[in-house]
Amino acid sequence: ESILSRIRSFEYSQKNAVLVPAAALGVGGMLLYWLRSGRKIKTIDMGDGWWGSGERPLKGKEDESIRPFKIETSDKEIEDLHRRLDHFRFTPHVEGAAFHYGFNSSYLRKVVAYWRNQFDWRKQVEVLNKYPHFHTTIEGIDIHFIHVKPSYVPHGRAVQPLLMVHGWPGSFYEFYKIIPLLTEPARHGLNEGDVVFEVICPSIPGYGFSEAPHQKGFDSVATARIFHKLMNRLGFKEYYLQGGDWGSRITTNMAQMLPQSVKGLHLNVVFIGKQGLGRMICIMLGAYVPWLVGLSREDARRFYPFMQKNVYDVLRESGYLHIQATKPDTAGCGLNDSPVGLAAYILEKFSTWTDKSFLHKDDGGLESKYSLDELLTNVMIYWVTSSIVSSMRYYKENFSKDPNLNAYNRYSVHVPTGIAAFPQEILHTPHVWAKDVFKNIISYSYMPRGGHFAAFEEPKLLAQDIMQFVRKVEQL
């Protein structure tokens, strides 16, 4: 009996040795599952859409082919432009007005003269066609994009796909100076150890050579879904994103929609519209004790005086936004009919959004940062495609649904995020505020110079920051 009891005792202890850890493991697993399910990342519903003319076809699969595209021009197109430029009606400017009243009409006369007599659109078309262009049909409309691959990839180095998205009043052309720096960094004096990219730059539907939506409601979320479909169609399961202006909103929505597809998100502008008592206290204390509310010395320098930089300057620069967010077609039809009006409307933004101090210059400081050929090429993309009205409608589609552009901030961004904060950007978003939405910021750079059109104005600075960010992500 003594021996039998010992055997039973041994068997019981052996069972305990197995059952207790198994039970603990089970309970622990359930607890972990509960914690994880409670913290499940909320994502924007991808949904679906149809933006073509008329009703969505009931039968037949969409043509998913990727078709080579080439920008072309004609004598008739150029003759029509010259005829309109020849009939430009000049309005004398107010003496000493510089750019305080908008585009200075005396400088506009110089721009029009250059456009009419020296600007060579055929030559610029050749420049635009130096990269491969494509069209593909997604959700009923033709999407235009350029896709640039590196000509040489060193042995053992991975090529990272990078989708870059423009904003208004820019275009895919904004990226022409940064593309070679990203696809061939060593050739352009950047560190040979840096990552190499293949770059995809689509035109937002309704901009440039992308077809305009025929239905109401086309917003940044619809754009995000279409661009995810585009990348999937190109064969990419994971990719990096980069954006400024509307491109920032679109790529952020892409990260909120399919985080598993986004390796990293790089932005050169961040819009955080959060309001409330806490934010107000932060603003008030930040002027005196910035460190107490998480602001750096550089944040304080860019942010204050608060009323001047965040209220007066923004009101002065945002009149266009109210028009475009309410009745874009009214002003748009005039811009679509007059190349001079279109140029004044667009180029005025390239002045004060590049540097606020350019407001005080008679020429708007435009040629200190860009050439007239570059500026007029961007204007011509809007002109030859008659896309200014549809590009302006994008404001109405977004702001009518979300007046403060705040609705999607409740979906936190958990993908690795890099932010390049340029000092002349219209609004500065401190790192501590950006963390309200972007929960995994691994790179936040106070850029030494530059404004809203970062890739167009400071391509090398932006390229270096993108590379630094991606290198960090790849090492995680």
Side-chain angles (χ1 to χ4, degrees):
E1 276 184 24
S2 176
I3 292 169
L4 285 173
S5 65
R6 285 179 184 177
I7 290 171
R8 289 191 190 109
S9 175
F10 175 75
E11 287 175 346
Y12 181 75
S13 63
Q14 286 290 90
K15 285 180 183 178
N16 276 355
V18 174
L19 289 174
V20 171
L25 194 62
V27 171
M30 289 174 67
L31 182 62
L32 188 62
Y33 174 79
W34 179 78
L35 287 170
R36 282 188 172 179
S37 63
R39 293 182 182 178
K40 188 177 179 181
I41 296 172
K42 282 172 59 179
T43 58
I44 295 174
D45 180 36
M46 189 164 181
D48 201 6
W50 169 257
W51 310 104
S53 183
E55 295 288 323
R56 186 173 199 158
L58 295 175
K59 293 182 180 179
K61 193 177 180 183
E62 189 165 71
D63 177 11
E64 295 187 357
S65 64
I66 294 170
R67 308 175 292 277
F69 170 74
K70 192 174 183 181
I71 298 171
E72 296 176 338
T73 190
S74 66
D75 291 343
K76 186 178 178 182
E77 186 176 69
I78 295 171
E79 287 166 7
D80 176 65
L81 171 68
H82 286 174
R83 178 182 61 80
R84 291 168 187 263
L85 294 178
D86 286 338
H87 289 88
F88 163 45
R89 292 202 301 175
F90 174 74
T91 305
H93 72 279
V94 178
E95 292 182 13
F99 263 56
H100 287 273
Y101 283 63
F103 205 104
N104 184 295
S105 56
S106 292
Y107 179 62
L108 182 59
R109 180 179 261 174
K110 177 189 172 183
V111 172
V112 172
Y114 181 89
W115 198 357
R116 173 64 178 85
N117 302 310
Q118 293 172 262
F119 179 76
D120 188 343
W121 175 233
R122 286 189 180 87
K123 180 182 175 183
Q124 294 308 116
V125 165
E126 289 179 14
V127 171
L128 291 173
N129 282 326
K130 75 177 181 178
Y131 294 131
H133 293 249
F134 302 91
H135 266 154
T136 191
T137 306
I138 304 176
E139 298 188 8
I141 53 176
D142 283 346
I143 305 301
H144 162 259
F145 64 97
I146 57 174
H147 186 177
V148 188
K149 300 179 182 180
S151 58
Y152 167 73
V153 181
H155 178 70
R157 188 177 302 176
V159 178
Q160 303 294 343
L162 174 66
L163 180 83
M164 304 188 79
V165 185
H166 66 88
W168 187 92
S171 65
F172 66 93
Y173 178 60
E174 283 181 70
F175 302 115
Y176 267 51
K177 289 187 277 189
I178 198 173
I179 285 171
L181 306 183
L182 296 170
T183 57
E184 300 173 314
R187 184 177 290 184
H188 293 88
L190 297 175
N191 189 338
E192 287 199 34
D194 283 328
V195 290
V196 176
F197 298 92
E198 59 179 296
V199 179
I200 301 92
C201 299
S203 294
I204 298 170
Y207 288 68
F209 299 98
S210 276
E211 186 178 356
H214 297 266
Q215 311 294 332
K216 292 191 294 184
F218 187 84
D219 60 4
S220 62
V221 171
T223 315
R225 180 178 63 245
I226 281 178
F227 287 171
H228 270 309
K229 289 182 178 181
L230 171 64
M231 295 300 279
N232 185 257
R233 193 169 292 183
L234 291 172
F236 300 115
K237 292 183 178 179
E238 289 185 311
Y239 33 87
Y240 285 93
L241 304 174
Q242 203 285 325
D245 196 88
W246 279 123
S248 170
R249 166 99 165 179
I250 293 164
T251 54
T252 297
N253 288 163
M254 291 178 76
Q256 293 164 321
M257 185 179 286
L258 288 178
Q260 67 273 22
S261 295
V262 180
K263 294 184 76 175
L265 170 67
H266 187 279
L267 307 171
N268 56 272
V269 63
V270 173
F271 299 109
I272 304 288
K274 182 179 176 182
Q275 298 167 345
L277 182 61
R279 183 58 50 88
M280 190 181 297
I281 292 170
C282 178
I283 291 167
M284 292 171 65
L285 291 177
Y288 306 100
V289 281
W291 50 269
L292 190 63
V293 290
L295 300 182
S296 69
R297 187 175 296 177
E298 183 61 20
D299 285 328
R301 194 181 70 80
R302 296 185 183 192
F303 204 61
Y304 297 100
F306 179 81
M307 291 300 291
Q308 179 64 49
K309 293 186 176 181
N310 298 275
V311 179
Y312 301 143
D313 287 354
V314 172
L315 284 173
R316 185 191 66 222
E317 294 300 326
S318 60
Y320 80 97
L321 188 150
H322 190 75
I323 292 170
Q324 295 178 192
T326 53
K327 297 185 178 180
D329 287 33
T330 304
C333 66
L335 301 177
N336 194 48
D337 192 57
S338 167
V340 178
L342 180 68
Y345 196 72
I346 287 177
L347 297 187
E348 183 249 308
K349 305 307 177 195
F350 278 87
S351 168
T352 48
W353 292 4
T354 296
D355 191 318
K356 300 176 188 74
S357 70
F358 287 173
L359 194 71
H360 309 298
K361 296 189 174 186
D362 289 339
D363 64 356
L366 283 167
E367 292 177 75
S368 64
K369 291 287 186 175
Y370 318 101
S371 71
L372 284 181
D373 280 346
E374 290 171 344
L375 292 168
L376 289 172
T377 296
N378 184 65
V379 172
M380 285 293 288
I381 289 169
Y382 282 86
W383 177 254
V384 300
T385 58
S386 294
S387 60
I388 187 61
V389 178
S390 51
S391 75
M392 292 163 71
R393 286 176 187 154
Y394 201 64
Y395 284 76
K396 183 170 180 65
E397 303 294 14
N398 281 284
F399 279 95
S400 60
K401 293 179 182 178
D402 184 10
N404 295 317
L405 293 187
N406 246 348
Y408 296 106
N409 286 350
R410 68 179 186 272
Y411 298 91
S412 297
V413 176
H414 293 271
V415 305
T417 303
I419 297 170
F422 285 83
Q424 289 295 331
E425 186 53 78
I426 302 162
L427 281 171
H428 175 67
T429 301
H431 187 180
V432 69
W433 289 14
K435 289 193 294 184
D436 288 346
V437 174
F438 302 91
K439 304 300 184 182
N440 191 11
I441 298 174
I442 64 171
S443 171
Y444 185 102
S445 307
Y446 295 99
M447 307 305 281
R449 61 185 179 277
H452 189 69
F453 304 98
F456 202 40
E457 180 192 349
E458 295 289 349
K460 193 164 187 177
L461 280 180
L462 184 61
Q464 288 171 327
D465 200 72
I466 294 169
M467 288 174 172
Q468 176 195 25
F469 164 67
V470 171
R471 195 187 303 119
K472 285 182 178 180
V473 176
E474 291 297 312
Q475 291 172 354
L476 290 176

